[in-house]
């Protein structure tokens, strides 16, 4: 091979080597860039839930309560005082800072979830502002308008943002949704309500043949005497509005205090007797021994059911769910 050919051949080889090296470098850089891009994408993906969480932050939040008072929450409340509404708080997975007590005992049906939560007595009426202030709540939630009427609201509102319901017990769905809004737990509120509605629907289907066209009455016994319960709240609401019974005309017409003499007028196919913490033992004994009581249609048909469960006298998803369980056990054993 002559000199010119050898030189030309070497030049070609060098060109090929340089071009191959260049391709190798480009390949390495491309791979590095791809890895870097993937890492960046992973970082963004991992960070997105936090970004979403930040977007859901609703505080500071200003709302009007059901009596028209402005309630301003600078941040998500964590120390919550909501006497008598512990049931609804637990439905959202939230424990209150204190729990209601009648001075002797708290709501017994909730104690498996409220162990360790201090009790505060309502035996002599609403606790003093000093007793509430000592626990430094972030929010106070009052379940009915009585707190405004008796002057308690003004005292409590000076301690922390205070929300007042007209009557939370008469609108369980609405009150739980309000709690979800105040505490930024709307999703949990919806989930709790959907689960409860599914329970109601299943019970309605099972009881339809029993409740259709049938009337019901609830009689509460306590230390003061015997009283009819209406269908506006607690277990009375469950039996009529949720499970399909009709309310007795006698109760519907407003006869709330029970006397033995009016029992012949009681047009109820099913009767539920509720002994309030066994405080009504004396009146219940007199009632059950009465010949007038024993002459009623429900008694003769063996359609009288007795309970001492405190959840029959409370509102909330847990309480009302337990009432449904009892009714199913009583009527479809």
């Amino acid at each position: 091979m002559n000199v010119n050919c050898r030189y030309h051949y070497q030049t070609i080889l060098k060109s090929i080597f340089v071009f191959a090296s260049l391709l190798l470098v480009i390949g390495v850089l491309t791979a590095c860039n791809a890895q870097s891009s993937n890492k960046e994408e992973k970082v963004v993906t991992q960070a997105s839930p936090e970004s979403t969480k930040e977007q859901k932050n609703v505080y500071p939040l200003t709302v009007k309560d059901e009596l028209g008072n402005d309630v301003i929450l600078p941040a998500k409340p964590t120390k919550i005082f909501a006497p008598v509404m512990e049931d609804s708080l637990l439905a959202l997975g939230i424990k209150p800072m204190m729990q209601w007590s009648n001075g002797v005992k708290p709501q017994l049906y909730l104690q498996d979830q409220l162990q360790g939560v201090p009790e505060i007595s309502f035996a002599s009426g609403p606790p003093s502002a000093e007793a509430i202030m000592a626990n430094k709540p972030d929010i106070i939630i009052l379940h009915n308008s009585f707190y405004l009427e008796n002057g308690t609201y003004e005292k409590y509102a000076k301690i922390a943002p205070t929300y007042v319901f007209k009557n939370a017990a008469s609108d369980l769905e609405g009150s739980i949704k309000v709690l979800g809004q105040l505490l930024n737990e709307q999703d949990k509120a919806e989930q709790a309500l959907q689960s409860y509605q599914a329970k109601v629907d299943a019970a309605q289907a099972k009881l339809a043949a029993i409740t259709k066209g049938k009337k019901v009455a609830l009689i509460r016994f306590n230390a003061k005497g015997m009283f009819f319960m209406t269908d506006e709240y607690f277990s009375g609401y469950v039996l009529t509005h949720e499970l399909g019974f009709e309310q007795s005309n006698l109760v519907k017409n407003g006869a709330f205090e029970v006397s033995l003499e009016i029992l012949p007028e009681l047009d109820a196919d099913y009767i539920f007797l509720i002994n309030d913490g066994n405080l009504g033992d004396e009146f219940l004994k007199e009632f059950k021994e009465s010949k007038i009581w024993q002459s009623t249609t429900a008694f003769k048909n063996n359609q009288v059911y007795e309970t001492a469960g405190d959840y029959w006298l409370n509102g909330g998803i847990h309480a009302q769910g337990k009432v449904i369980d009892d009714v199913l056990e009583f009527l479809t054993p």
Side-chain angles (χ1 to χ4, degrees):
M1 181 182 296
N2 61 37
V3 175
N4 288 336
C5 288
R6 189 184 304 114
Y7 174 79
H8 181 66
Y9 178 74
Q10 288 176 348
T11 299
I12 292 173
L13 286 177
K14 286 181 181 180
S15 299
I16 293 172
F17 177 78
V18 170
F19 181 73
S21 298
L22 181 59
L23 288 177
L24 179 62
V25 170
I26 291 173
V28 171
L29 290 174
T30 301
C32 290
N33 287 335
Q35 289 179 356
S36 176
S37 176
N38 288 338
K39 286 181 180 179
E40 288 175 1
E41 289 176 2
K42 288 180 181 178
V43 169
V44 170
T45 302
Q46 291 171 354
S48 60
E50 294 181 4
S51 301
T52 302
K53 188 175 181 180
E54 288 176 1
Q55 291 172 359
K56 289 183 178 179
N57 182 25
V58 298
Y59 304 100
L61 175 67
T62 300
V63 299
K64 281 189 181 295
D65 69 14
E66 293 188 352
L67 300 182
N69 304 303
D70 285 325
V71 182
I72 302 173
L73 299 172
K76 181 179 174 68
T78 57
K79 299 178 68 177
I80 302 154
F81 179 53
V84 189
M85 297 196 70
E86 292 88 352
D87 188 314
S88 293
L89 285 179
L90 290 171
L92 305 184
I94 297 172
K95 280 189 177 184
M97 59 182 292
M98 293 181 288
Q99 62 170 315
W100 175 93
S101 168
N102 63 8
V104 178
K105 58 189 177 183
Q107 298 168 92
L108 297 178
Y109 75 98
L110 295 175
Q111 292 314 295
D112 59 335
Q113 301 179 71
L114 290 177
Q115 289 183 2
V117 176
E119 298 174 21
I120 187 163
S121 175
F122 278 69
S124 301
S128 68
E130 290 75 19
I132 306 302
M133 189 183 304
N135 291 276
K136 300 179 180 178
D138 296 327
I139 187 173
I140 299 171
I141 303 171
L142 304 175
H143 70 285
N144 65 38
S145 60
F146 178 71
Y147 291 96
L148 185 67
E149 296 165 6
N150 68 8
T152 302
Y153 167 79
E154 286 76 8
K155 298 175 183 177
Y156 285 5
K158 295 177 182 178
I159 301 170
T162 301
Y163 187 99
V164 187
F165 287 95
K166 288 182 179 178
N167 187 356
S170 66
D171 183 11
L172 177 61
E173 179 178 355
S175 60
I176 286 182
K177 286 182 177 180
V178 167
L179 289 180
Q181 179 189 13
L182 293 173
L183 306 176
N184 200 17
E185 297 290 356
Q186 292 93 331
D187 290 345
K188 289 183 179 179
E190 288 296 335
Q191 290 169 9
L193 290 169
Q194 288 174 12
S195 296
Y196 176 69
Q197 188 58 51
K199 186 182 188 78
V200 170
D201 292 343
Q204 282 181 347
K206 195 169 185 179
L207 293 168
I210 296 173
T211 62
K212 185 177 181 180
K214 300 298 182 180
K215 294 180 181 178
V216 66
L218 290 88
I219 305 177
R220 174 183 182 178
F221 297 81
N222 60 25
K224 296 180 180 180
M226 305 175 288
F227 306 88
F228 285 120
M229 289 179 60
T230 72
D231 66 349
E232 297 175 351
Y233 55 92
F234 303 157
S235 49
Y237 183 92
V238 175
L239 291 175
T240 53
H241 297 277
E242 306 282 44
L243 299 183
F245 283 106
E246 295 179 18
Q247 185 174 219
S248 161
N249 289 329
L250 182 63
V251 180
K252 190 184 300 182
N253 292 334
F256 302 119
E257 189 169 354
V258 180
S259 66
L260 296 176
E261 289 72 22
I262 67 172
L263 288 179
E265 301 175 32
L266 185 56
D267 57 334
D269 301 288
Y270 294 86
I271 299 176
F272 294 85
L273 309 178
I274 309 170
N275 192 349
D276 188 354
N278 296 111
L279 297 174
D281 286 346
E282 180 182 344
F283 290 102
L284 180 58
K285 182 176 183 295
E286 177 187 359
F287 182 87
K288 291 166 71 173
E289 292 176 351
S290 165
K291 296 296 184 182
I292 300 177
W293 161 244
Q294 294 173 13
S295 68
T296 60
T297 301
F299 181 88
K300 290 179 178 179
N301 291 339
N302 197 30
Q303 293 179 165
V304 178
Y305 305 93
E306 187 175 341
T307 179
D310 62 341
Y311 45 88
W312 279 75
L313 302 173
N314 283 277
I317 282 180
H318 296 91
Q320 296 186 184
K322 285 179 173 291
V323 169
I324 290 173
D325 291 339
D326 280 356
V327 173
L328 288 170
E329 185 176 346
F330 288 149
L331 303 185
T332 60

